[in-house]
Structure formats: C-alpha cells, structure tokens
Amino acid sequence: MPRRKAEIDKDAAKEAVIGYCLKKGALAAGVADMDAVNRICPPGYRPADIMPRVKSVIALGVGGQTQGAWTVPAKALGYFGSTETRAYSISYGLAFYIENKFGLRSIYCPPDMDPDAGPRVPLQSLKVHAELAGIGARSLAGDILLHPDYGYMYFASVFTELELEPDAPLADNPCPAPSCVNMYRAIKRTPCMKFCPVQCLDGEVDEETGRQKIMRYDMAACAEMTQQYETVPSAIMDAIRATDEEDREDALFDPDNKMLWYKMSVGSGGLLAQCFECMRVCPVATQAPQADPILRHEHRLVPEAAE
Amino acid sequence: MARGLNRRQIGVTEEMMATFGEIVLRMSHNHQIREGDPYREKDWDAIERHREMMGLSDAEIAERIGLSRNQVLYIRTLMERRRFRTGHYARLLELGGGKRFRTERFTPHLDHFRYSEDALELRAAMNYPPDRARDYVEKGWWRNETQRRYLERNAAERPDAPAFVLPDRTLTWKELRDTAERVARGLWQLGLRPGDVVALQLPNIPEFAIANLAVTWFGGVVQTIHMPYRDAELQTLINHGRSRAIVCMGAAKDWSAAGAALEMQPQLPTLKHVIAVGETPDGAIPFAGLVAGDPDMEIGHEPSGADPHLLLYTSGTTSSPKGVPLNSHNMLSNARMSAPEKGLTADDRILSAAPFTHLYGLYAFHLGIVTGMANLLLPAFSPPALAGAIEEMKPTAVWFAPAHAAAMTAAGLIGKHDFGSMKMCLFAGSSSPPAMLHALQEAWPGCRVCQLWGMTELQAGMFTRPEDGIGKSAVFAGRASPGSTVRVADPETGEERPRGEEGEIQIRGPMVFPGYLRNREANETAFTTDRFFKSGDLGYMDEDGFVAITGRIKDIINRGGVKFNPQDIENLLSAHPAIQMAAVAPVPHDVLGEQACAWIQLNPGAEAPDLETLCAFLMEHRIARNKLPEKLVVVDEFPMTPTRKIVKGRLKAPAD
C-alpha cells in the first residue's frame, strides 16, 4: 500500500534519492522545479503529459568519456564514449527504489523521441530537467549542458509522485571557459565553433564579461552528422531514384550505408550518433576538475580510501 | 504521412510545401538562437521572447502560421528529409588523435575529383581474369608498387646517386624526385588529373624521365610515341589514346613535333595541352616552365599499383591501332623480379640503345627505377654514338637490338672501342643471328651475352640468364621470366606441342597486359580460354624450357599448300659475307598463291649477289629446295622499327 504523503520526510527522502544516484555511479543529481519545467516546455512535452500525477522531476548525470576516449579517432569515439545506458540504468533503478522505499509511483523517463512528431522532437526535454535541477548549464555548443566540475555528462530523468524540494539551477555557467574567451577575442570563434565538421555552431561572446551573448545552432546540419538514422530513408530513396544499377548499388552498399544496416541489425541505436568533435575540443568537457576520471579518482576516491 | 494520414487527407499540396516549407523549418527547432542564459537564470520575459527563436512545437507553429498541426508536422518532416544531406559521416574519418576539422582545408565530397569518362574507360580495360589476379597477389608478385614510391625510396636512400646520366649532365635521384614533383604540380595546375593520358614523344633524354615520372606521380598514364612518327601517326595515336596533353620536342632538325601538334589540334578533340621541350612555338607550354613549378599547388592523389600506368601501341600506326594498357603491377613486378636474375643491383649502370618510347627501352627504365641503378642515356642511335657512349660512360649492362650490334660490327667498331665495363648485355627486338652473338661473346669475354624475348603486351616474357652461357643464349630467346608460364602450342588446334616441335609461343604471367584498348576484335583472338596470350611468334622449346624463336605466324609462306617458316633462310642469308641484313616474305603468285621473296641490304662496299648465287649459297647449307627464294630485291636501307626490327609490311614487292 502506498504510504501516506504526510509520513514522508521531504528532506530525508531527497537525501535518500540523491544518495542512491551517487552511490550507483551518478556524478550529480538534483530535483527540477516542476513549475519552471511546465513554463518552459510547450504543451504536450510537460511531465504531466506522460505521467499525470507527477510531483517531482529528478535529473541525474553520469560521466561521459574517459580521458583515453578523447584520444581515439573520431570514427571510433562513439564506441568508447557513450555511457548513456549507464544513466538510464541508474534512473531505472531509482524509479524502482522510490516505489519500494516510499510506495509512490515513479517512472524512468524515456530518453527517446516523440513517435507522434518524428525523430527530431524529444518525448521530454532531459536538458530542461537537468538544467533546472542544477546539474548543467547551456553551452555555446548547441546548448549541450556542461557542469563546472563534471564537464560533459549524459543525463536521465525520473518522474515520481514523491514530492521533493527542487534545487536551483547552477549559479554560474562554465561556458565559455577562459581559454575559449581568449580564442574568441582573437578569431571571433570558440573551439567548438571552429572545429565543428558541419559548421553547425555559431555565436557571440561578450568580450568584456566573457559570458555568452548569442548561441546559434543549426540542428538540421548537426543532424546530418550525428543522427545517422535519418540517412536510412535517404539512402533507400537514393537507391529507388538511381538511374542505373551501379548508382543503386552505391546507395545501398557503400561502406557508410552498410554500417547503417549493420547498426540497425545489431540494434546499436546509440551508435547512430557519433560526432563528438565539439566536445572533444571543449576545455570544460575534457578538463573540468572531475570530468577527468583520473583526476576524479584522485579527488574523490583516494581521500575516501584514506578515511 | 502524418499521424497515419496521407497528404491528400491532410490537404498538403506541393505548392503548400513551397509556400510554407521555409517558414515552418525556420520556426521549428531545426534552427535555434538563444540570447544570454535565460533558462538557467529563469528570466521569464526572455524565455517568452525566445520561444520562436529556440523553436516552436508543431502545434505552436500551426497556431502562428494558420495551418493545422498535422499540416505543419507533415511539411516539417518532409522539409527535413528534403534538406538532409547524406554522406557527412565521412567528414569524421580523418579526425581525432590531435587532428581537428578545418573548414579551409575541407573539400566537400561532391567537389572531389572524378575520373573522366575516358579515364574510366581506360580503367575498365584493366580487366584481368580474377583467378590470375588472385594468384599473382597471393604469390606476392603483384604489390602496391608504383614509380612514385620507388622514386621516393631512391631519393631517400640514394639521394646523391646518379639516376639518369648524359656525358655532360647527371640527374641524381633527389634532383629527379624533386623535379618530377614540380612538373607534376605544373601538370596538375594545367588541369591534368588521374587517368588522363599524356603522350610523350621524346628521345632518351632526362626530360623523358622527368615527364614520365611526373605524369605517373599523380596517376596519369604515359603514352609513348616513337620519335620517327610524324603528323599522320601522331593524329591516329593521340585520337585513339584520347591523350589530354603531349610533351614533345619544340624543334628538331627537320620537324617540330610541338608545331605539328598545335596545327593538328582542331582534329585532336581531346588534346588540350602541347608542352614543348627546348624551343617553344607560340601556343605551346614550355616544359622548362613546368620544371619551375608552383610549390603551393597541392596534388590530392597518389596512384596505386593497379592503376593504369602506360598506354603503348603495337602496330597500326595509321589505321586500326592496337593500344596496350599496362599497369604498375605488370611493369614493375616484372622489372623487380627479373633484376636479380640478371644480377642487376643499385650499383649497376644500364644503357639502353633502344628508345624509351619502346617497351624494350622502357624495361631498362623500369629496372633503373626498381633497383635504384643509373640509366645512362643515348639520345639517338648511330653506331659510333653507341660505341662511344659505352666506352665513355662505362655501363655494366647494355640493351641492344641485333641491328645495333650488326651496324657496329659492320662499321668495324667492336674491336676499336673499350667495351670492358659491360658485365652483361641483352639482345632483343628481333631474331638474333647465333653467329653474331657467338662473335660478340668472343669479343667481349668479360660480358655475359644474353637474349630476351618480349613484346609490347608483356615487357620481358623470357630471357636467358648470365649463367646460362652463350651456348644457350646464342640460340634461344630465353626461358620464362619469373612468375610467367610459357608453352608452345599448335596455332590451329591450341594443343601443346612436344618439346622440340615448332608452334605458337603462348605466355601467361603477372606482366601480361589485360587486353587491347577499344579493340574487341583483337581481344577475341588474343587469348586462349585459359588466358594464355597468343603471341603470334613461332618457336620451339627444348627439354630445359629454353625457347628459340623461329618466326611469326603471319610470316609463314604458303607455297602451293606447302607452308614453311622463312626465318632459317633469313638467318642463312644474314651470314652471307656480302649481306648485312635480310628478310624473306611471301609475295603473291598466280598459280602457287604465294612464293618467297628475299630482300637484302648489303654490307658497305659489297657487290650484290644475284638470286642464283644466293640459292647456291643456301643449298650448300642443305635447305629444302621448295624454301628457296624465287625473287630477290636489294634495298639501300630496310624500313626499321624504333627497336631496329625490319618492318616487313613496308617491303615493296618486286615488279614482275
């Protein structure tokens, strides 16, 4: 039987929830302000559209690439870098944990796309949840969230009927890093803008304050690089429209497209998005104090071991 | 289709797509603009102002534009599809490990080089049987070797060693590499690209080597044109080869190849550039200008072993040309594998009396490239020039045609000059009279006299090795070159002949060409079903695998139904004291169909024998009476190929 809400200590519950996330491997976790989420997200994309009695949105982040992963060739980075499934498994476990511990319904919020609106529209914005929960701030790299301590993380959300006190967003935005501001002053571009393979990033930095002024993101161009599932129908369409057998064969069986069929056949959907070049050159993503798992080990685990 | 409904049900037309497609895309999240950091700061006024800039939902766009949500959904997703450009994943392939994407260095894939239709046709002609290719690759005969790779290696390992040498000029490997690269940049700047054919009509001078290596540096194909060829031959060969440029002499003593090419350009639709060595006529590009080079010109292509490398022509210089495409696999594997069997190393010095425009001369060129040895250059043959070059430049290996040695012998130069530097010499190009080879071996005791049998279609097919001795080398053209298989077969039935019996020489191996370019008729008869090349040469093989050449199938004389090969008659006639060279070929006869006619060129000062005297001379050597020539023609000079082979097709039949 669900416990009566009055019996639940909100502070203790939050401590238990956050503690669970960190114990299971999340680097950061927080609770988003539900009212703010509802004001930002348009109708149809608010938590209650998925779970009508939701009271809290919990966001958590896990570490992205290892330091070694940043050194591998770009074509292989997707294989080494993705820890998003770890984020999902923690949030999935958290939903069970809340139901078991507090007797209140919870769901792991699917990090997927809206089947009604197509693959460029998320079912829910994990970005908004994490930003409002104070575990990330929008960067010039197409609004990818960065954390001053943990750099670039993968996020997951849990919706629950458990009522929790919301956290505040981050007090400061780590983007742009001082070195990026220096570069901007020199060439009017930050590293992520300069090295994007499809030049989908643009923007302006306030050279006096060193803060973001304008972020421009061509998501359509980014999708051409990262969302390879969109290539699938295009490749098939190219094959259908091909005027001769050789072009048809190219459209379906060149190595790029054969990789698509391979990824689809083994169900490795995560590997359909493989471009990390803006993050590879981002000093926050790669050099934030605890973005580096090696440094993290020194900062966190070694002192723990000494205790 | 949107939410299960098709465009007719939703009411979207192509015109509606055209009208609203752009605005729907712009208002969607496909293009996002954010000013400041309003979400983190919970600046609600700014967040409201941002809604459209950051991208509206389909329902919000519908409300704003005045469409239904389904119409917006349909238009947006279809616009996303239509704007989606594929193939971008390849942009990642060279990144990582410290390499970053740089717009200024990136060439969109659609803008990348594409082979021209002519180049693709030439590549399609490199049509080797798959079982042969597999065999050659598995055995290590075909490797990814190119002239450029060997040139780079030689320049790195032997930078100051001589590569091409004239008596008054030496080009080291480093100088050659650097010059070839500069000229390659110049050719690239002219618009020449991989697969483009560039004709070279040059004597054996350093510019030939530079041009050849520059063209193949970026994957161009070298077409050689023999120096004696004039307007008619040039026009035929350039048109058939679809050559994009010609590198030739600006002025020679009696003719300007560059001037002729410029004049003929209206009749040569593919020829875009005439590049002149030396004096440069108006309209031509000076070769020296290419040598100056543009250091900033970037060549974005490096050829591979399987790329076409050479386009040579065997015959039919004015009609029905037979183009022979060859790749680096063919040419360089043959040179690489045969060099050690000839005892040739980087320390040797090779001199070819044959021109580089012919594959026999090019064989010396290729051997130089793969071993790193020096090629000594003889720009034009004359008996004194050759004898003098050998004495002065001291080659250790010399490539002769029998006619070269015959001319030097006739001029009394053999005993007059110092030939002591030669440790081996090679005879090829036409049948070598055994008596002459024995005499030369005797005159040059420190030199191993060898023979080679080759063709434009295969470079070195057979040769005798230095250790085989003059006993074999005087009689036999050689045994199979490394990797090749030679057999003697009945030209009509195709059955292999027993050892010692005459038949057509057939050969298969890693150096054999894939087939004639744009000549289906010739290709249908060029190969056996098991892909042996039917050489058209007649010969027999001894028990040790040595093959003696006895003639050409087409030279066989059919006298009243009795067929015979006239080569033994030619050899005997050449041994006559008054005769320098002889040829026997059929002439028409009303009753017999054909009868034998002998053409002879006399030694200087010799008196011409009559037919009766010659027949008596032949009968002394117990020749069958029916093989005796029945006509005799004395010529001042035989028509010769560039490798000093008599062109029988141009011998004029005697008037009755």
Side-chain angles (χ1 to χ4, degrees):
Chain A
M1 287 290 291
R3 255 194 274 181
R4 292 167 61 89
K5 292 174 193 169
E7 295 171 9
I8 299 172
D9 179 334
K10 278 191 191 177
D11 292 340
K14 186 171 177 184
E15 191 179 339
V17 164
I18 302 298
Y20 175 90
C21 294
L22 299 181
K23 186 179 174 187
K24 293 296 179 184
L27 293 178
V31 179
D33 178 343
M34 182 66 82
D35 289 340
V37 172
N38 288 336
R39 284 184 75 170
I40 293 170
C41 298
Y45 300 94
R46 294 166 179 161
D49 294 324
I50 297 281
M51 188 184 191
R53 293 184 179 177
V54 60
K55 289 287 183 290
S56 301
V57 171
I58 304 159
L60 62 92
V62 302
Q65 278 75 3
T66 62
Q67 284 298 293
W70 291 120
T71 67
V72 305
K75 67 177 182 180
L77 191 50
Y79 294 101
F80 297 92
S82 175
T83 53
E84 63 194 70
T85 50
R86 195 166 165 214
Y88 305 152
S89 65
I90 295 172
S91 59
Y92 194 59
L94 177 63
F96 274 106
Y97 174 77
I98 294 171
E99 289 195 349
N100 280 331
K101 189 171 177 70
F102 302 105
L104 291 167
R105 284 184 284 256
S106 305
I107 60 166
Y108 141 65
C109 175
D112 223 312
M113 314 313 282
D114 181 359
D116 195 6
R120 292 193 191 178
V121 181
L123 200 57
Q124 292 279 308
S125 174
L126 302 186
K127 182 189 321 187
V128 169
H129 303 160
E131 182 181 31
L132 292 174
I135 58 173
R138 293 175 190 243
S139 70
L140 288 166
D143 269 3
I144 287 176
L145 296 187
L146 295 174
H147 191 282
D149 293 326
Y150 307 118
Y152 168 53
M153 290 188 285
Y154 286 93
F155 298 101
S157 299
V158 169
F159 294 171
T160 178
E161 291 176 7
L162 175 65
E163 211 166 325
L164 299 169
E165 278 300 319
D167 290 294
L170 286 171
D172 291 310
N173 191 330
C175 174
S179 61
C180 300
V181 177
N182 288 340
M183 183 171 174
Y184 183 84
R185 287 184 180 125
I187 64 167
K188 303 298 176 222
R189 285 196 292 174
T190 54
C192 53
M193 296 172 197
K194 179 175 178 182
F195 295 114
C196 170
V198 285
Q199 297 291 284
C200 71
L201 304 175
D202 191 14
E204 294 171 28
V205 173
D206 185 323
E207 293 186 39
E208 284 185 19
T209 63
R211 295 167 72 102
Q212 297 177 28
K213 199 167 165 187
I214 300 178
M215 185 284 309
R216 297 188 194 93
Y217 174 44
D218 184 345
M219 193 184 81
C222 186
E224 288 166 1
M225 177 61 82
T226 56
Q227 307 304 321
Q228 285 194 306
Y229 54 77
E230 298 216 26
T231 308
V232 174
S234 296
I236 294 170
M237 186 64 89
D238 289 347
I240 291 168
R241 289 178 176 165
T243 51
D244 65 41
E245 197 58 36
E246 284 179 14
D247 286 347
R248 188 168 295 115
E249 203 168 35
D250 282 351
L252 291 174
F253 299 113
D254 78 10
D256 273 7
N257 289 338
K258 279 180 82 174
M259 274 307 288
L260 285 179
W261 318 139
Y262 162 74
K263 287 169 180 177
M264 290 170 68
S265 68
V266 299
S268 62
L271 297 178
L272 288 172
Q274 289 213 354
C275 181
F276 295 87
E277 294 309 290
C278 57
M279 289 295 98
R280 192 202 284 275
V281 296
C282 172
V284 180
T286 58
Q287 294 162 32
Q290 296 193 55
D292 177 342
I294 298 169
L295 288 177
R296 194 155 69 229
H297 172 78
E298 290 168 6
H299 283 223
R300 183 189 276 186
L301 301 180
V302 173
E304 279 175 11
E307 282 172 6
Chain B
M1 187 82 71
R3 298 164 66 87
L5 304 174
N6 64 33
R7 73 162 74 180
R8 289 185 177 187
Q9 293 170 303
I10 301 166
V12 172
T13 62
E14 200 54 44
E15 290 71 21
M16 188 183 277
M17 291 282 299
T19 304
F20 293 111
E22 284 299 328
I23 185 70
V24 165
L25 264 192
R26 195 192 63 73
M27 294 177 82
S28 74
H29 47 217
N30 280 289
H31 300 282
Q32 301 175 17
I33 300 174
R34 169 171 57 78
E35 290 176 356
D37 203 355
Y39 303 97
R40 185 179 59 79
E41 292 168 353
K42 291 188 180 174
D43 179 346
W44 299 112
D45 289 342
I47 289 170
E48 286 308 313
R49 287 200 308 274
H50 270 82
R51 285 208 179 277
E52 193 171 317
M53 290 196 296
M54 287 296 286
L56 299 173
S57 69
D58 295 334
E60 290 170 316
I61 297 171
E63 190 61 30
R64 194 69 62 87
I65 294 180
L67 298 171
S68 74
R69 185 201 161 195
N70 282 348
Q71 287 170 338
V72 170
L73 173 59
Y74 185 91
I75 291 170
R76 176 178 59 76
T77 51
L78 211 60
M79 286 298 287
E80 286 171 355
R81 140 74 196 149
R82 289 181 181 179
R83 292 292 169 86
F84 191 84
R85 296 165 299 177
T86 55
H88 282 185
Y89 179 72
R91 291 171 183 235
L92 289 177
L93 295 181
E94 303 301 325
L95 305 182
K99 290 182 189 161
R100 306 282 178 246
F101 179 86
R102 290 177 189 276
T103 332
E104 64 276 16
R105 293 183 194 166
F106 180 73
T107 306
H109 293 87
L110 285 175
D111 296 343
H112 270 240
F113 155 76
R114 291 175 189 204
Y115 288 100
S116 67
E117 288 301 317
D118 290 342
L120 287 172
E121 197 180 347
L122 186 53
R123 294 178 76 78
M126 311 310 288
N127 184 21
Y128 300 91
D131 60 329
R132 295 292 90 217
R134 189 183 65 221
D135 191 41
Y136 304 152
V137 170
E138 285 175 355
K139 289 182 167 134
W141 297 338
W142 279 5
R143 299 176 187 169
N144 193 12
E145 55 195 341
T146 60
Q147 292 197 143
R148 176 170 167 178
R149 286 187 174 203
Y150 279 119
L151 182 58
E152 296 272 26
R153 183 205 65 183
N154 294 342
E157 294 179 1
R158 306 167 52 77
D160 301 322
F164 287 87
V165 182
L166 282 170
D168 58 348
R169 184 180 165 199
T170 296
L171 205 55
T172 66
W173 284 112
K174 176 76 167 58
E175 289 167 342
L176 178 62
R177 180 235 166 271
D178 293 347
T179 313
E181 186 187 17
R182 284 202 300 275
V183 173
R185 289 177 199 278
L187 296 173
W188 189 269
Q189 197 166 14
L190 290 177
L192 294 168
R193 290 294 179 269
D196 285 346
V197 175
V198 178
L200 305 187
Q201 191 189 34
L202 294 171
N204 290 13
I205 54 176
E207 284 75 9
F208 179 95
I210 294 166
N212 182 326
L213 294 165
V215 170
T216 54
W217 182 277
F218 64 81
V221 180
V222 168
Q223 175 190 16
T224 61
I225 296 179
H226 300 312
M227 288 305 290
Y229 288 177
R230 295 295 183 258
D231 299 47
E233 291 91 354
L234 245 63
Q235 188 168 342
T236 304
L237 295 181
I238 288 174
N239 273 336
H240 191 270
R242 298 183 186 167
S243 325
R244 299 252 303 148
I246 182 170
V247 184
C248 54
M249 298 305 292
K253 55 185 174 184
D254 61 339
W255 191 62
S256 166
L262 287 167
E263 267 180 35
M264 288 189 292
Q265 243 179 328
Q267 288 83 51
L268 303 171
T270 62
L271 189 74
K272 302 298 176 204
H273 310 289
V274 176
I275 300 161
V277 173
E279 194 177 303
T280 306
D282 287 347
I285 298 160
F287 187 77
L290 298 180
V291 174
D294 175 359
D296 295 328
M297 177 55 59
E298 206 162 305
I299 294 176
H301 187 86
E302 185 177 344
S304 306
D307 290 341
H309 157 179
L310 274 177
L311 178 59
L312 305 179
Y313 282 83
T314 62
S315 60
T317 51
T318 54
S319 65
S320 308
K322 285 166 85 175
V324 178
L326 294 154
N327 66 13
S328 299
H329 282 327
N330 298 138
M331 296 293 93
L332 301 183
S333 69
N334 184 236
R336 166 173 47 81
M337 293 196 289
S338 58
E341 301 210 359
K342 293 184 168 65
L344 296 173
T345 70
D347 296 329
D348 281 298
R349 295 158 65 84
I350 192 168
L351 187 151
S352 173
F356 288 152
T357 54
H358 191 279
L359 192 48
Y360 182 36
L362 273 178
Y363 182 42
F365 184 96
H366 294 147
L367 283 165
I369 291 283
V370 301
T371 61
M373 68 180 159
N375 251 290
L376 313 181
L377 300 175
L378 179 72
F381 167 75
S382 71
L386 177 55
I390 294 171
E391 184 170 56
E392 188 181 345
M393 295 199 284
K394 303 198 181 309
T396 58
V398 179
W399 268 209
F400 292 106
H404 293 131
M408 285 202 302
T409 304
L413 299 170
I414 299 297
K416 209 168 167 184
H417 287 265
D418 177 9
F419 294 92
S421 64
M422 294 192 301
K423 69 175 190 183
M424 70 93 60
C425 64
L426 201 60
F427 284 84
S430 62
S431 172
S432 301
M436 183 187 77
L437 297 184
H438 275 292
L440 291 173
Q441 182 62 84
E442 202 171 314
W444 301 332
C447 173
R448 298 299 183 102
V449 174
C450 298
Q451 274 204 67
L452 174 141
W453 175 82
M455 302 183 82
T456 306
E457 291 87 342
L458 48 86
Q459 197 166 253
M462 296 185 285
F463 51 87
T464 58
R465 279 64 169 175
E467 66 271 19
D468 292 333
I470 192 65
K472 288 286 192 189
S473 289
V475 179
F476 296 98
R479 48 193 163 96
S481 61
S484 65
T485 307
V486 177
R487 71 186 182 194
V488 175
D490 185 309
E492 285 171 10
T493 67
E495 283 179 20
E496 197 164 346
R497 284 278 167 89
R499 299 288 167 115
E501 287 191 19
E502 189 184 65
E504 184 186 35
I505 297 166
Q506 299 180 347
I507 185 166
R508 191 170 75 178
M511 70 295 184
V512 175
F513 82 130
Y516 298 104
L517 179 67
R518 292 191 278 276
N519 196 333
R520 183 184 294 176
E521 192 183 352
N523 286 333
E524 281 171 359
T525 55
F527 295 93
T528 63
T529 51
D530 54 353
R531 287 298 291 195
F532 275 77
F533 172 58
K534 294 156 75 174
S535 71
D537 277 354
L538 293 169
Y540 66 89
M541 183 183 283
D542 78 356
E543 293 300 325
D544 300 322
F546 287 85
V547 175
I549 309 297
T550 55
R552 293 281 297 164
I553 289 177
K554 65 182 178 187
D555 291 344
I556 283 179
I557 297 169
N558 186 346
R559 187 180 186 277
V562 178
K563 296 177 187 173
F564 65 94
N565 178 351
Q567 190 173 336
D568 50 352
I569 311 286
E570 290 173 348
N571 287 343
L572 285 173
L573 290 176
S574 297
H576 189 281
I579 297 174
Q580 186 175 334
M581 279 187 284
V584 178
V587 290
H589 187 269
D590 290 343
V591 178
L592 297 169
E594 288 178 351
Q595 61 181 183
C597 175
W599 284 261
I600 56 173
Q601 181 180 326
L602 300 174
N603 278 322
E607 194 174 329
D610 59 18
L611 183 60
E612 199 176 330
T613 312
L614 277 185
C615 287
F617 172 76
L618 292 171
M619 289 303 291
E620 284 173 22
H621 292 83
R622 300 185 179 195
I623 285 293
R625 187 170 290 278
N626 68 312
K627 291 165 78 175
L628 292 175
E630 292 164 272
K631 301 272 184 186
L632 176 66
V633 180
V634 180
V635 297
D636 294 334
E637 196 174 358
F638 273 115
M640 305 289 276
T641 68
T643 50
R644 315 300 296 167
K645 188 158 61 177
I646 297 169
V647 185
K648 286 191 177 177
R650 284 168 56 192
L651 294 174
K652 288 187 180 149
D656 284 330

